[in-house]
Amino acid sequence: MQAANPSPRVGVIMGSTSDWPIMQHAVEMLECLGVDYETRVVSAHRTPDLLFEYAKSAAERGLQVIIAGAGGAAHLPGMVASQTALPVLGVPVESKALKGLDSLLSIVQMPGGVAVGTLAIGKAGATNAGLLAAQILGNQDATIRQAVEAFRREQTDKVLASPDPRSA
């Protein structure tokens, strides 16, 4: 997995290719909202030098937010956050042994002074990470903010269009 866009503003990274079925939901949301991104496998344990290079060079390469998904020990989001001042959004990927609770606790329990915004376990967390990255970028980019606002209106309209659950 490499850059999907020529000028990525969001980096979507994961500890291994097995995390892609979850992390693809972050990418789908970014695409829905028109946000340029890149994807990359960067393992905290198997490729630590790559992890440090990726995180340290992210801002100079134009990234403004990093979404990091990891399962198990889930050190990736925290280690990335330790090497960059960019916002890092952590997505706990469900593990077989503990259903993602291990990942969640690893990501959410960052020491004071190294922030990682932690989202829900799995698909919902990845989807919301893409949405939250767009909302962060939308503070400075009216086009992205308008796309987020349109998405939110569509969500509301879907609910209002089917108030009776028997007709869904």
Side-chain angles (χ1 to χ4, degrees):
M1 287 174 250
Q2 288 298 322
N5 309 104
S7 302
R9 296 173 70 184
V10 177
V12 179
I13 61 175
M14 60 215 76
S16 72
T17 56
S18 65
D19 297 334
W20 177 245
I22 294 301
M23 298 307 293
Q24 72 183 1
H25 298 289
V27 165
E28 289 167 2
M29 180 57 72
L30 293 169
E31 288 175 348
C32 172
L33 299 171
V35 176
D36 292 335
Y37 65 90
E38 67 182 18
T39 59
R40 186 94 191 255
V41 172
V42 180
S43 172
H45 302 112
R46 293 178 292 273
T47 61
D49 293 337
L50 174 61
L51 179 152
F52 289 134
E53 176 200 332
Y54 184 90
K56 288 179 180 181
S57 69
E60 68 188 40
R61 292 185 297 106
L63 295 182
Q64 294 175 288
V65 180
I66 298 172
I67 299 172
H75 291 130
L76 181 62
M79 292 304 294
V80 168
S82 77
Q83 300 296 307
T84 184
L86 295 177
V88 175
L89 306 177
V91 177
V93 174
E94 187 172 337
S95 59
K96 289 181 179 152
L98 298 173
K99 305 292 185 209
L101 185 58
D102 50 343
S103 309
L104 173 66
L105 294 174
S106 181
I107 296 170
V108 79
Q109 286 298 112
M110 291 299 298
V114 182
V116 172
T118 308
L119 291 123
I121 298 167
K123 178 181 176 181
T127 299
N128 283 341
L131 180 58
L132 186 54
Q135 289 175 281
I136 291 167
L137 295 175
N139 283 323
Q140 302 297 319
D141 187 318
T143 301
I144 294 173
R145 184 175 56 254
Q146 290 166 359
V148 169
E149 290 168 351
F151 173 79
R152 301 280 301 265
R153 280 192 304 275
E154 290 170 16
Q155 296 287 312
T156 298
D157 292 346
K158 282 182 186 177
V159 171
L160 295 176
S162 297
D164 186 341
R166 297 171 293 172
S167 64

